[in-house]
Amino acid sequence: MENVESPNILEWKLPDQVMQMHRLKMKKRALQARMNNKMHNTNEESSSPINNSSNNSSFNLNQPASLKRKNPFLKDNAKKEEKDMVVEGNLEMSSDSTLFELLNINVKKKKTVEDSIPDSSLNFTSVLAKLENNACIPELEVQKGEKYIPIDWSLKTKMRFMSPKPFPWNSKLKTSEEASGTTSFVRCLDIGEKETTLDTSPNARFHQCCLVWQHPSLPWLELFPRSAGKVSASLGSNAAVANNQMIRDALYREWCDSFRSLFHLLRARQCAYFYVCTNNFTVLFRAAGICGLSEMHALLTPTTRGFRQSLKQEEIEYTMPLKKEHKKILNLSDSGCETLDSCSSSAVLNEEEDEAQDKWLQSLGVENSEIQKINSSQARMNLEKESEVDSMRQSLVFVKGIEAQALFNLLINCKSAITTTGALAGVPPTLLAPSAFHGATLRPLKVKESIVRVDKDRFYSLELKGPILPHVLPSLCDLMKSSQLEQFSVSCAHLSTTTSFSAAKHGLEQIETEDVPKTQQNIFGQENLSDCGFNSILLKHFCNPDPARIELVEALKYSNGLYTLS
């Protein structure tokens, strides 16, 4: 009769089944050895006379059968079971180590954080589980971006904000919102942080960021951006200004008073910066403390060789931070002569060199007419070399300290700053500032709301148009952050002739002055500019002495609390 319990030899066994049978055999052997050991101990105890007497004395035939005596082998049994478990664990570890060797997996012997797990848990199954878990865990991406907005000193003509969620404000203002926004801008009040009776709604705070002071303001003329060749159908009425000398003189007198008032505010550090926009160039005046510089300073772009020559004649020292140095020093006017003595001494040396060259050519038998031709060609080459950067971004001029005062005197008396031809003939340069000054007109930016679709996605768009000053972008971004907007983007259209203001950074390579570190300059600048109209956050932003914070912002994205340029 066939034995049902006999295993089939031809049946395929899995590794787990083989190990299970192996463990069963080991348990049977251990059980057999334990039984043999018990029998051996029993024989020894029965042969001992002391044990026999003690057992006879403790054994009572009249004792009830339900009461069991204490098992004398209980302690030994526990020890045997521990030994069996150790043997069994060693067998499992040996089998797992064999599998590890086959799979070329090295088991670390050094103690790690995971050593709190017992060694018996390290088997083939757990290792496979760990490998699968490590494969499923994605690598964490490092977020790129900064928590601050770069400072962009260029003037902007347009700015567009886009957000997947609606903005907390709109262009339709209530009476209280428009009044509170205007009052807070004129009086330089921070209605977002300080307690006030004014309207502190997002609409009022948004309107506060969309205002600018301008002079002159002629409703029939567009005075920003300025262009000498710009012609518009609505500018035909400017003939009254161009053809009337009394009107031109009155406009010039008013402009001089406004320019002087604005410059005095800058010197008193009650105005952080302002712009002078002419048809041919733009000037940026910045107060002491802005960008960590201890003196007031100015940047002017673009310039020509003739204008730089006029700076030299007025003995105004300047530098050209964006101009590449040439190996041959042929241009004295563009070198920004440090002092008048050095300028005059250099001129004397050049005259002596020219005379020596002329004598040397005469000694070779060269006629005077040929020498004059050589000198004229050499001078023409020098002039061409000087004029290479004219009207380019490399022609930017930087002045500081007393030289900024001299530049102001030059501009206020410069008749060439007012064009005599074109649509803006006889109109003085446009002054733009974030602070009020004599003769200034309060002008709002044009705001337009719309909904756009990009690749079937819906975005809310907010477009600003007008002379957008550098403080507008960080102010609006802070307002959006405080309004719980988690994600938005900004795109800007710049006035191309002013992009070199941001490219020049601070205008200087070294901004530390006479053992005064940057941190102290920043603190002094913030304290001295506390009455310029900016709140503490905005003032700290513009007084930062780090040149890396100055960048040309064309497109900006905000997400996860970080700003990224794109």
Side-chain angles (χ1 to χ4, degrees), residues 83 108 170 186 205 224 226 233 236 245 258 456 544-545:
K83 291 181 180 179
K108 295 182 179 180
N170 51 61
V186 173
R205 297 173 62 188
F224 179 86
R226 308 246 334 198
Q245 185 65 33
S258 298
K456 298 181 180 180
N544 194 291

Side-chain angles (χ1 to χ4, degrees), residues 418-563:
I418 303 176
T419 182
T420 57
T421 60
L424 298 178
V427 180
T430 305
L431 303 177
L432 300 172
S435 303
F437 57 95
H438 290 174
T441 303
L442 186 62
R443 297 295 303 271
L445 301 178
K446 296 181 181 179
V447 182
K448 180 182 178 181
E449 289 182 298
S450 61
I451 298 177
V452 297
R453 294 187 180 275
V454 180
D455 297 335
K456 298 181 180 180
D457 294 331
R458 184 179 181 181
F459 291 93
Y460 294 87
S461 174
L462 186 69
E463 183 177 325
L464 306 178
K465 185 178 179 181
I468 302 175
L469 301 184
H471 72 279
V472 176
L473 178 59
S475 299
L476 288 177
C477 289
D478 289 341
L479 179 57
M480 290 187 179
K481 287 173 58 179
S482 62
S483 301
Q484 306 300 323
L485 271 182
E486 300 177 354
Q487 185 178 1
F488 60 86
S489 62
V490 189
S491 57
C492 305
H494 303 85
L495 187 61
S496 59
T497 55
T498 63
T499 56
S500 55
F501 290 149
S502 296
K505 303 293 184 180
H506 292 86
L508 293 173
E509 294 181 359
Q510 300 292 334
I511 66 172
E512 295 185 7
T513 58
E514 298 182 359
D515 301 330
V516 179
K518 297 180 182 179
T519 54
Q520 293 186 13
Q521 292 183 34
N522 191 12
I523 295 174
F524 293 155
Q526 294 182 45
E527 292 295 330
N528 295 329
L529 288 167
S530 59
D531 296 329
C532 72
F534 290 167
N535 57 32
S536 58
I537 298 176
L538 198 60
L539 189 58
K540 182 179 180 182
H541 179 67
F542 280 96
C543 291
N544 194 291
D546 187 7
R549 285 178 173 258
I550 301 178
E551 293 287 345
L552 184 66
V553 179
E554 294 182 355
L556 185 71
K557 291 183 179 180
Y558 174 78
S559 180
N560 298 324
L562 297 177
Y563 295 96

